Amino acid sequence: FFRFFFAHFPMGSGPSAESRASDGDEPPLEGVVDQEYGFRVHRVEANSPGDLAGLQSILDYVVVANGIRLDSDDGVFVKMIGDSVGGEIPCTVFNTQTLRTRETVIRPTANWGGAGLLGVTIRFDVARPLEKHTLHVLDVYPSSPASAAGLDAFNDYILGVGDLLYDGPDEFGEIVAYNCGRPVRLYVYSSRTEAVREVTITPSKDWGGEGCLGCGVGCGYLHSLPRRRTKLAAAATRTSAAAAAAAPATGAPAAAEAAAAAAAAAVVAE
């Protein structure tokens, strides 16, 4: 249904050491993956509190908030968000690309121009191994669904489909085949921008070539995410400063705060 090229390349159990960013002098936290839990970041709306805090879709897990370890889905984090409207939440974020943590500050507000208090969708989950849900986009054929969606050959990496982190290329293929003819939301990392973006693609068998997507994909040792050129910690510092400048003053009207608190549950739902 779409062309896989990974069989022609060496396969490995994980990315090479070179693919992990040197985001500071601390050693990578290899033991966190597949062991520790947190709130994985999915959709991040532009100019939202989550965006201003530098949160990155799919790769980031919020593991500590206000000094509390978020290792269970017990409602504490959602309540904290509702209780912190007009204030701030210091957070520790683990990134599965760099295998390191960084500090940032999230400022919940109902006045940023979109839905929810953070403008992000989060899912409680174990920190998933990145190599299990990474497909490197190779050739992109003209007039194909992949071309129409703007996938960038050899620079893009598919990390997620909708709210799912697929488990390997076979499951990804099954999801694509099941949704043939229907729009599918992909989370795609670009090695050019070092950012994750949302891409809407409509798989089709009628575009005039092979497969449903019209692109080749690779996985394994040679197709892991490349080493970052910039540090996430530096980006988080800049965006937090921008958020501080844009944050509304505390003491908002009680009615607005009550409505914002009631909307806190929207943070974890599409």
Side-chain angles (χ1 to χ4, degrees):
F1 33 83
F2 62 101
R3 298 186 64 185
F4 278 120
F5 284 78
F6 62 88
H8 300 292
F9 294 89
M11 298 288 289
S13 60
S16 66
E18 284 298 310
S19 71
R20 301 303 195 186
S22 180
D23 202 24
D25 297 326
E26 301 82 5
L29 302 173
E30 300 278 357
V32 172
V33 176
D34 248 352
Q35 299 293 327
E36 301 293 337
Y37 284 78
F39 285 89
R40 183 174 62 247
V41 177
H42 276 260
R43 174 175 290 180
V44 179
E45 300 289 349
N47 301 314
S48 67
D51 185 28
L52 294 174
L55 296 182
Q56 193 171 34
S57 295
I58 305 300
L59 301 175
D60 276 348
Y61 290 73
V62 182
V63 294
V64 176
N66 269 345
I68 298 174
R69 177 70 178 90
L70 303 175
D71 54 2
S72 62
D73 190 11
D74 54 9
V76 169
F77 188 36
V78 175
K79 184 178 186 302
M80 185 187 301
I81 292 167
D83 291 344
S84 301
V85 175
E88 60 184 37
I89 305 175
C91 292
T92 300
V93 179
F94 176 74
N95 184 275
T96 53
Q97 180 186 17
T98 65
L99 294 181
R100 288 173 170 84
T101 60
R102 68 186 190 278
E103 306 300 317
T104 190
V105 175
I106 303 175
R107 295 176 171 84
T109 176
N111 302 319
W112 65 272
L117 301 179
L118 302 186
V120 303
T121 302
I122 56 178
R123 295 285 183 273
F124 184 75
D125 198 3
V126 69
R128 299 276 295 277
L130 186 58
E131 58 268 20
K132 289 188 176 181
H133 60 95
T134 297
L135 290 176
H136 187 196
V137 177
L138 304 178
D139 301 280
V140 174
Y141 299 102
S143 303
S144 67
S147 177
L151 290 181
D152 187 5
F154 300 99
N155 293 301
D156 278 348
Y157 298 78
I158 301 170
L159 303 181
V161 184
D163 293 332
L164 300 175
L165 297 189
Y166 58 88
D167 189 5
D170 290 340
E171 185 174 22
F172 178 77
E174 292 171 2
I175 295 171
V176 169
Y178 179 79
N179 289 283
C180 198
R182 292 180 288 190
V184 176
R185 186 174 76 248
L186 304 179
Y187 287 97
V188 179
Y189 178 88
S190 169
S191 61
R192 296 180 188 271
T193 64
E194 298 189 311
V196 179
R197 71 187 190 279
E198 289 186 30
V199 171
T200 300
I201 189 168
T202 303
S204 173
K205 297 178 181 178
D206 302 323
W207 65 273
E210 293 183 39
C212 293
L213 297 185
C215 67
V217 293
C219 69
Y221 186 81
L222 297 182
H223 299 285
S224 54
L225 261 61
R227 183 187 181 96
R228 286 189 62 89
R229 301 182 302 276
T230 58
K231 293 183 179 181
L232 280 168
T237 300
R238 290 195 298 272
T239 52
S240 293
T250 57
E257 290 197 6
V267 174
V268 294
E270 286 285 3

